[in-house]
Amino acid sequence: MKIRGKLVIIGGAVDKGSFTETDLDKNAANNLNFFETGILKRILNESKHKADSRIEVITTASKIPKEIGPEYVKALNYLGAKNVDVLHLDKREMAMQPEYLERLRNADVVMFTGGDQLRLTSILGGTPFHDLMLEKYYNEDFIYAGTSAGAAAASNNMIYQGSSSEALLKGEVKITSGLGLIDGVIIDTHFVQRGRIGRLFQAVVGNPKVLGIGLGEDTGLLIKNNSEMEAIGSGLVILVDGREIKDTNLTQVELGQPISINHLVTHVMSKYDTFDLKTHKMHIQSSQYAEKLQFLSDD
């Protein structure tokens, strides 16, 4: 089944520019890297109608929705988006009301902000809003974009709790069901900055078929057809592949005890690198062997 929608998952702290400053236009030069090549600009370029796409910023995960929502509207407007609004869904009954379903039906892009991913799944999970979003993602030229909590909740399996420092002690990482847009992966965010690699190791060793994705801040993945992943943004994406694990003590130790893992494979992606979820093959865009590979192909 070919999936028509696109998924953009972001590690958090998206650089929207200094929109809290009153002299934004005077300082625009300081943000040119973002405005020209940033993640939100890429979302616009990938959307169905580009600058005319209907975008709904959904603040369900956030505890400060009235503050964070307008920041995204300002950022997207500055990048040329003409049709952006904020959708505050903070109760399950709202996700069942026709007026909000109609807004989703008319949307080309939904942008889920950061916050608490458990709020997202507990408020939206299993509602008509959730069902319609999945239907649009599978069957339409539609983008689900999520940062931080919005990214973590995108997959079938979702990390919702677990300290960074104690993450490789058995039982420290808590996992539940996410929104289910993509299967076969589990996503962690603020990954490099908060030292969360141990959380992802434990998530993967418990089910090695699932590929762990660790997203740095202002870094993300653009995923097409639920398999073709391209790194976007300014930082790193860490992939943890457990399929070749040879041994672990996971089932032998008590809760709270350290976990051992033998032969866990990792990949590090940066901007424009790609990874295919079907073949588990990575392509480095600026490979040091690129000229040699080209020479061999010419022969």
Side-chain angles (χ1 to χ4, degrees):
M1 173 185 175
K2 183 172 177 60
I3 294 174
R4 294 187 60 191
K6 300 170 187 174
L7 186 62
V8 179
I9 50 174
I10 310 160
V14 181
D15 180 5
K16 300 184 295 298
S18 301
F19 285 100
T20 55
E21 298 178 8
T22 55
D23 55 348
L24 167 65
D25 293 322
K26 294 178 183 178
N27 288 320
N30 296 332
N31 301 312
L32 281 181
N33 180 60
F34 164 70
F35 291 135
E36 291 180 349
T37 62
I39 294 173
L40 293 186
K41 185 65 174 178
R42 182 64 183 273
I43 292 171
L44 270 184
N45 290 340
E46 292 285 341
S47 67
K48 183 176 182 180
H49 300 296
K50 307 298 190 284
D52 293 319
S53 290
R54 176 65 182 163
I55 303 173
E56 293 283 2
V57 178
I58 301 177
T59 58
T60 304
S62 178
K63 294 180 180 178
I64 51 169
K66 293 183 180 178
E67 295 175 36
I68 197 68
E71 288 291 302
Y72 279 93
V73 174
K74 289 178 187 177
L76 289 161
N77 286 164
Y78 193 90
L79 293 172
K82 303 171 185 175
N83 195 6
V84 188
D85 206 349
V86 179
L87 190 50
H88 297 300
L89 293 175
D90 57 4
K91 296 181 178 66
R92 279 186 65 82
E93 53 263 35
M94 295 177 70
M96 305 174 191
Q97 293 174 7
E99 60 184 291
Y100 298 115
L101 293 174
E102 187 62 21
R103 285 177 63 173
L104 175 60
R105 195 169 284 113
N106 293 329
D108 302 300
V109 179
V110 289
M111 176 77 211
F112 282 83
T113 68
D116 179 355
Q117 52 264 43
L118 207 54
R119 278 182 56 82
L120 269 183
T121 54
S122 63
I123 291 174
L124 298 182
T127 64
F129 192 94
H130 183 200
D131 293 340
L132 178 58
M133 185 172 67
L134 290 173
E135 181 183 326
K136 286 175 67 70
Y137 178 68
Y138 291 141
N139 301 311
E140 299 181 20
D141 187 355
F142 172 75
I143 294 178
Y144 172 104
T147 183
S148 190
S155 55
N156 274 349
N157 300 290
M158 179 184 82
I159 296 173
Y160 71 93
Q161 188 179 332
S163 69
S164 299
S165 60
E166 305 294 333
L168 268 177
L169 301 182
K170 182 177 178 179
E172 280 295 320
V173 178
K174 306 296 191 296
I175 298 172
T176 188
S177 298
L179 294 176
L181 285 95
I182 184 169
D183 197 10
V185 302
I186 192 163
I187 302 158
D188 209 353
T189 58
H190 301 281
F191 192 71
V192 177
Q193 292 77 3
R194 300 185 186 177
R196 288 179 168 175
I197 194 162
R199 295 197 345 172
L200 208 53
F201 284 172
Q202 182 165 169
V204 170
V205 76
N207 185 1
K209 183 180 180 181
V210 175
L211 180 75
I213 299 175
L215 301 169
E217 294 184 355
D218 195 36
T219 305
L221 285 172
L222 168 65
I223 305 175
K224 298 180 180 180
N225 198 30
N226 268 19
S227 62
E228 304 154 21
M229 308 197 304
E230 177 191 343
I232 57 178
S234 64
L236 300 175
V237 178
I238 312 296
L239 303 180
V240 179
D241 188 344
R243 295 174 308 144
E244 296 184 27
I245 289 175
K246 296 181 188 290
D247 197 7
T248 176
N249 65 350
L250 180 66
T251 61
Q252 303 303 113
V253 298
E254 300 294 329
L255 289 174
Q257 295 301 305
I259 298 170
S260 302
I261 310 169
N262 180 12
H263 208 266
L264 187 61
V265 176
T266 61
H267 309 277
V268 182
M269 300 174 69
S270 59
K271 194 172 185 179
Y272 303 131
D273 294 344
T274 59
F275 187 90
D276 191 315
L277 281 171
K278 292 180 179 176
T279 64
H280 280 244
K281 299 294 185 184
M282 177 176 165
H283 173 72
I284 297 178
Q285 178 67 20
S286 301
S287 168
Q288 62 183 335
Y289 305 118
E291 291 184 6
K292 182 178 180 180
L293 292 171
Q294 182 61 46
F295 176 78
L296 292 173
S297 66
D298 289 343
D299 287 350

